[in-house]
Amino acid sequence: MARTTTIELHKEDMKFAAGHFTIFSATHRENLHGHNFAVFVSLTGEVLADGMLADYDIFKGAALKQCRAWNETFMLPGNSRHLHVEKDARGDVLARFNGEELRFLARDVTILPAENVSLEELARLFGEGLVGDGGSFRANRISHVVVKISSEPGQWCSWEWRDHG
Ligand SMILES: Nc1nc2c(c(=O)[nH]1)N=C([C@H](O)[C@H](O)COP(=O)(O)OP(=O)(O)OP(=O)(O)O)CN2
């Protein structure tokens, strides 16, 4: 019977500071604001004869890379049914919401393939970016990954991947 374990990664530098606003309806959104988002990743899989699941530095590095990619940016939902985003030739962004126009310089904004910049969507995108097609996790006999994102202490949302292979 294979022995399994779960490695939990929630290092101090697994975080990103970003701006956003949550959209609640076609006419109601929050004002622009930001958070110091924290990231938690857990890896569950089989421990081999060498007493290891896998070198978790591989996955910690990938998580830190994603944190850096989302650090110090303003996040907009690119797939929102209520907010419409367009880029000009310079890559600067005009976002339209309920008759309002919000403008951003290309350097300041990240347009996410998300319906909303919510904890749910951030956890999903972070997890999908980390796991990809699951190949490196399967190769390391990792069968279950949980990614959690918090907007502040005590407020988390999770996303999971399981290897059904
Ligand atoms: N299901 C979700 N609901 C809400 C989300 C979300 O991501 N998913 N996000 C928000 C707000 O964006 C977020 O809560 C705003 O943070 P803050 O201004 O800090 O207000 P909080 O309520 O989180 O903090 P308190 O200190 O508890 O007031 C709302 N809903």
Side-chain angles (χ1 to χ4, degrees):
M1 176 72 172
R3 174 161 69 98
T4 60
T5 191
T6 295
I7 292 171
E8 296 187 342
L9 301 170
H10 181 37
K11 301 280 288 187
E12 168 61 32
D13 51 357
M14 287 173 63
K15 62 185 177 184
F16 57 94
H20 83 120
F21 51 85
T22 301
I23 297 171
F24 300 103
S25 74
T27 57
H28 175 41
R29 68 170 174 85
E30 294 177 306
N31 289 339
L32 282 61
H33 64 280
H35 299 279
N36 291 315
F37 292 95
V39 176
F40 166 100
V41 176
S42 72
L43 312 164
T44 299
E46 185 185 337
V47 180
L48 283 188
D50 62 1
M52 286 179 67
L53 165 61
D55 178 2
Y56 54 64
D57 280 347
I58 304 166
F59 307 103
K60 186 166 66 175
L64 289 170
K65 183 180 176 186
Q66 182 61 59
C67 288
R68 286 192 293 271
W70 282 359
N71 192 45
E72 295 186 357
T73 190
F74 192 88
M75 298 172 148
L76 285 174
N79 300 338
S80 169
R81 72 197 70 178
H82 303 311
L83 178 129
H84 304 288
V85 177
E86 53 191 73
K87 283 186 177 181
D88 66 18
R90 290 180 306 185
D92 294 342
V93 169
L94 169 61
R96 291 189 171 90
F97 175 84
N98 188 31
E100 301 171 324
E101 289 191 348
L102 300 90
R103 297 181 184 276
F104 301 87
L105 294 176
R107 61 172 288 184
D108 291 329
V109 70
T110 298
I111 301 171
L112 297 176
E115 171 68 36
N116 213 336
V117 183
S118 60
L119 285 183
E120 292 90 329
E121 287 282 75
L122 290 176
R124 173 181 69 82
L125 288 173
F126 197 104
E128 290 175 354
L130 187 69
V131 173
D133 65 5
S136 63
F137 293 79
R138 286 191 192 93
N140 284 287
R141 301 168 317 288
I142 294 169
S143 56
H144 183 208
V145 176
V146 176
V147 170
K148 296 196 288 185
I149 304 279
S150 88
S151 55
E152 56 187 87
Q155 192 160 276
W156 295 85
C157 194
S158 67
W159 172 90
E160 294 192 59
W161 171 83
R162 292 181 190 277
D163 180 14
H164 297 295

CSV table of all heavy atoms in Angstrom, one decimal, residues 20-24 30-31 33-35 37 116-122 151-153 155 157, ligand 1:
chain,number,residue,atom,x,y,z
A,20,HIS,N,-7.9,45.8,-7.7
A,20,HIS,CA,-9.0,45.2,-8.4
A,20,HIS,C,-10.3,45.9,-7.9
A,20,HIS,O,-10.3,46.8,-7.1
A,20,HIS,CB,-9.1,43.7,-8.1
A,20,HIS,CG,-9.8,43.4,-6.8
A,20,HIS,ND1,-11.0,42.6,-6.8
A,20,HIS,CD2,-9.6,43.7,-5.5
A,20,HIS,CE1,-11.4,42.5,-5.5
A,20,HIS,NE2,-10.5,43.1,-4.7
A,21,PHE,N,-11.4,45.5,-8.5
A,21,PHE,CA,-12.8,45.7,-7.9
A,21,PHE,C,-13.6,44.5,-8.3
A,21,PHE,O,-13.5,44.0,-9.4
A,21,PHE,CB,-13.4,47.1,-8.4
A,21,PHE,CG,-13.4,47.2,-9.9
A,21,PHE,CD1,-14.4,46.7,-10.7
A,21,PHE,CD2,-12.4,47.9,-10.5
A,21,PHE,CE1,-14.4,46.9,-12.0
A,21,PHE,CE2,-12.4,48.1,-11.9
A,21,PHE,CZ,-13.4,47.6,-12.7
A,22,THR,N,-14.5,44.1,-7.4
A,22,THR,CA,-15.4,43.0,-7.7
A,22,THR,C,-16.7,43.6,-8.3
A,22,THR,O,-17.2,44.7,-7.8
A,22,THR,CB,-15.7,42.3,-6.3
A,22,THR,OG1,-14.5,41.8,-5.8
A,22,THR,CG2,-16.7,41.1,-6.6
A,23,ILE,N,-17.2,43.0,-9.3
A,23,ILE,CA,-18.4,43.4,-10.0
A,23,ILE,C,-19.6,42.5,-9.5
A,23,ILE,O,-19.5,41.3,-9.6
A,23,ILE,CB,-18.2,43.3,-11.5
A,23,ILE,CG1,-17.1,44.2,-12.0
A,23,ILE,CG2,-19.5,43.6,-12.2
A,23,ILE,CD1,-16.7,44.1,-13.4
A,24,PHE,N,-20.6,43.1,-9.0
A,24,PHE,CA,-21.7,42.3,-8.4
A,24,PHE,C,-22.9,42.3,-9.3
A,24,PHE,O,-23.8,41.4,-9.2
A,24,PHE,CB,-22.1,42.9,-7.1
A,24,PHE,CG,-21.0,42.9,-6.1
A,24,PHE,CD1,-20.3,44.1,-5.8
A,24,PHE,CD2,-20.6,41.7,-5.4
A,24,PHE,CE1,-19.2,44.1,-4.8
A,24,PHE,CE2,-19.6,41.7,-4.5
A,24,PHE,CZ,-18.9,42.9,-4.2
A,30,GLU,N,-17.5,47.5,-6.8
A,30,GLU,CA,-16.7,48.2,-5.8
A,30,GLU,C,-15.9,49.3,-6.4
A,30,GLU,O,-15.7,49.3,-7.6
A,30,GLU,CB,-15.8,47.2,-5.1
A,30,GLU,CG,-16.4,46.1,-4.3
A,30,GLU,CD,-15.4,45.2,-3.8
A,30,GLU,OE1,-14.5,44.7,-4.6
A,30,GLU,OE2,-15.3,44.9,-2.6
A,31,ASN,N,-15.5,50.2,-5.5
A,31,ASN,CA,-14.5,51.1,-6.0
A,31,ASN,C,-13.1,50.4,-6.2
A,31,ASN,O,-12.9,49.3,-5.6
A,31,ASN,CB,-14.3,52.3,-4.9
A,31,ASN,CG,-15.5,53.2,-4.9
A,31,ASN,OD1,-16.2,53.3,-5.9
A,31,ASN,ND2,-15.6,53.9,-3.8
A,33,HIS,N,-9.6,49.2,-5.4
A,33,HIS,CA,-8.9,49.1,-4.1
A,33,HIS,C,-7.9,47.9,-4.3
A,33,HIS,O,-7.8,47.3,-5.3
A,33,HIS,CB,-9.8,48.8,-3.0
A,33,HIS,CG,-10.5,47.5,-3.1
A,33,HIS,ND1,-11.7,47.3,-3.9
A,33,HIS,CD2,-10.3,46.3,-2.5
A,33,HIS,CE1,-12.1,46.1,-3.8
A,33,HIS,NE2,-11.2,45.4,-3.0
A,34,GLY,N,-7.1,47.7,-3.3
A,34,GLY,CA,-6.1,46.7,-3.4
A,34,GLY,C,-6.0,45.8,-2.2
A,34,GLY,O,-6.6,46.1,-1.1
A,35,HIS,N,-5.2,44.7,-2.4
A,35,HIS,CA,-5.0,43.8,-1.3
A,35,HIS,C,-3.6,43.3,-1.4
A,35,HIS,O,-2.9,43.2,-2.4
A,35,HIS,CB,-5.9,42.6,-1.4
A,35,HIS,CG,-7.4,42.8,-1.4
A,35,HIS,ND1,-8.1,43.0,-0.2
A,35,HIS,CD2,-8.3,43.0,-2.3
A,35,HIS,CE1,-9.3,43.3,-0.5
A,35,HIS,NE2,-9.5,43.3,-1.8
A,37,PHE,N,-2.5,40.0,-1.4
A,37,PHE,CA,-3.1,38.6,-1.5
A,37,PHE,C,-2.0,37.6,-1.0
A,37,PHE,O,-0.8,37.7,-1.3
A,37,PHE,CB,-3.4,38.3,-3.0
A,37,PHE,CG,-4.6,39.1,-3.5
A,37,PHE,CD1,-4.4,40.3,-4.1
A,37,PHE,CD2,-5.9,38.7,-3.3
A,37,PHE,CE1,-5.5,41.0,-4.6
A,37,PHE,CE2,-7.0,39.4,-3.8
A,37,PHE,CZ,-6.8,40.6,-4.4
A,116,ASN,N,-14.6,37.7,-13.3
A,116,ASN,CA,-14.6,38.7,-12.3
A,116,ASN,C,-13.2,38.6,-11.6
A,116,ASN,O,-12.6,37.5,-11.6
A,116,ASN,CB,-15.7,38.3,-11.3
A,116,ASN,CG,-16.3,39.6,-10.6
A,116,ASN,OD1,-15.7,40.6,-10.6
A,116,ASN,ND2,-17.5,39.4,-10.1
A,117,VAL,N,-12.7,39.7,-11.0
A,117,VAL,CA,-11.5,39.5,-10.3
A,117,VAL,C,-11.9,39.3,-8.8
A,117,VAL,O,-12.0,40.2,-8.0
A,117,VAL,CB,-10.6,40.8,-10.4
A,117,VAL,CG1,-9.3,40.5,-9.6
A,117,VAL,CG2,-10.2,41.0,-11.9
A,118,SER,N,-12.3,38.1,-8.6
A,118,SER,CA,-12.8,37.6,-7.3
A,118,SER,C,-11.8,36.6,-6.8
A,118,SER,O,-11.0,36.1,-7.5
A,118,SER,CB,-14.2,36.9,-7.5
A,118,SER,OG,-14.0,35.8,-8.4
A,119,LEU,N,-11.9,36.3,-5.5
A,119,LEU,CA,-11.0,35.2,-5.0
A,119,LEU,C,-11.2,33.9,-5.7
A,119,LEU,O,-10.2,33.2,-5.9
A,119,LEU,CB,-11.3,35.0,-3.5
A,119,LEU,CG,-10.8,36.1,-2.5
A,119,LEU,CD1,-11.0,35.8,-1.1
A,119,LEU,CD2,-9.3,36.4,-2.7
A,120,GLU,N,-12.5,33.6,-6.0
A,120,GLU,CA,-12.7,32.4,-6.7
A,120,GLU,C,-12.0,32.3,-8.1
A,120,GLU,O,-11.3,31.3,-8.4
A,120,GLU,CB,-14.2,32.2,-7.0
A,120,GLU,CG,-15.1,32.0,-5.8
A,120,GLU,CD,-15.6,33.4,-5.2
A,120,GLU,OE1,-14.9,34.4,-5.3
A,120,GLU,OE2,-16.7,33.3,-4.6
A,121,GLU,N,-12.0,33.4,-8.8
A,121,GLU,CA,-11.4,33.4,-10.1
A,121,GLU,C,-9.9,33.4,-10.0
A,121,GLU,O,-9.1,32.8,-10.8
A,121,GLU,CB,-11.9,34.5,-11.0
A,121,GLU,CG,-13.3,34.3,-11.5
A,121,GLU,CD,-13.4,33.4,-12.7
A,121,GLU,OE1,-13.2,32.1,-12.5
A,121,GLU,OE2,-13.5,33.8,-13.9
A,122,LEU,N,-9.4,34.2,-9.0
A,122,LEU,CA,-7.9,34.2,-8.8
A,122,LEU,C,-7.4,32.9,-8.4
A,122,LEU,O,-6.3,32.4,-8.9
A,122,LEU,CB,-7.6,35.3,-7.8
A,122,LEU,CG,-7.8,36.8,-8.2
A,122,LEU,CD1,-7.5,37.7,-7.0
A,122,LEU,CD2,-6.9,37.1,-9.4
A,151,SER,N,-7.5,37.4,0.4
A,151,SER,CA,-7.4,38.8,0.2
A,151,SER,C,-7.0,39.5,1.5
A,151,SER,O,-6.5,40.7,1.5
A,151,SER,CB,-8.8,39.4,-0.2
A,151,SER,OG,-9.8,39.1,0.7
A,152,GLU,N,-7.1,38.8,2.6
A,152,GLU,CA,-6.6,39.3,3.9
A,152,GLU,C,-6.7,38.1,4.9
A,152,GLU,O,-7.4,37.2,4.6
A,152,GLU,CB,-7.4,40.5,4.4
A,152,GLU,CG,-8.9,40.2,4.5
A,152,GLU,CD,-9.7,41.4,4.8
A,152,GLU,OE1,-10.1,42.1,3.8
A,152,GLU,OE2,-9.9,41.6,6.0
A,153,PRO,N,-6.0,38.2,6.0
A,153,PRO,CA,-6.0,37.1,6.9
A,153,PRO,C,-7.5,36.7,7.3
A,153,PRO,O,-8.3,37.5,7.5
A,153,PRO,CB,-5.3,37.6,8.2
A,153,PRO,CG,-4.4,38.7,7.6
A,153,PRO,CD,-5.1,39.3,6.5
A,155,GLN,N,-9.6,35.1,5.3
A,155,GLN,CA,-10.6,35.1,4.2
A,155,GLN,C,-9.9,34.5,2.9
A,155,GLN,O,-9.1,35.1,2.3
A,155,GLN,CB,-10.9,36.6,3.8
A,155,GLN,CG,-12.1,36.9,2.9
A,155,GLN,CD,-12.5,38.3,3.1
A,155,GLN,OE1,-13.3,38.5,4.0
A,155,GLN,NE2,-12.1,39.2,2.3
A,157,CYS,N,-10.2,31.5,-0.5
A,157,CYS,CA,-11.0,30.8,-1.5
A,157,CYS,C,-10.0,29.8,-2.1
A,157,CYS,O,-8.9,30.0,-2.4
A,157,CYS,CB,-11.5,31.7,-2.5
A,157,CYS,SG,-12.8,31.0,-3.5
B,1,LIG,N1,-17.6,35.5,-3.2
B,1,LIG,C1,-16.9,36.6,-3.1
B,1,LIG,N2,-17.5,37.7,-2.5
B,1,LIG,C2,-16.7,38.8,-2.4
B,1,LIG,C3,-15.4,38.9,-2.9
B,1,LIG,C4,-14.9,37.7,-3.6
B,1,LIG,O1,-13.8,37.7,-4.1
B,1,LIG,N3,-15.7,36.6,-3.7
B,1,LIG,N4,-14.7,40.0,-2.8
B,1,LIG,C5,-15.2,41.1,-2.2
B,1,LIG,C6,-14.4,42.3,-2.0
B,1,LIG,O2,-13.6,42.5,-3.2
B,1,LIG,C7,-13.4,42.2,-0.9
B,1,LIG,O3,-14.0,41.6,0.2
B,1,LIG,C8,-13.1,43.6,-0.5
B,1,LIG,O4,-12.2,43.5,0.6
B,1,LIG,P1,-12.3,44.6,1.8
B,1,LIG,O5,-12.5,46.0,1.2
B,1,LIG,O6,-11.1,44.4,2.6
B,1,LIG,O7,-13.6,44.2,2.5
B,1,LIG,P2,-13.7,42.9,3.3
B,1,LIG,O8,-15.2,42.7,3.5
B,1,LIG,O9,-13.0,41.8,2.6
B,1,LIG,O10,-12.9,43.2,4.6
B,1,LIG,P3,-13.5,43.5,6.0
B,1,LIG,O11,-12.4,44.0,6.8
B,1,LIG,O12,-14.2,42.2,6.5
B,1,LIG,O13,-14.6,44.6,5.8
B,1,LIG,C9,-16.5,41.1,-1.5
B,1,LIG,N5,-17.3,39.8,-1.8
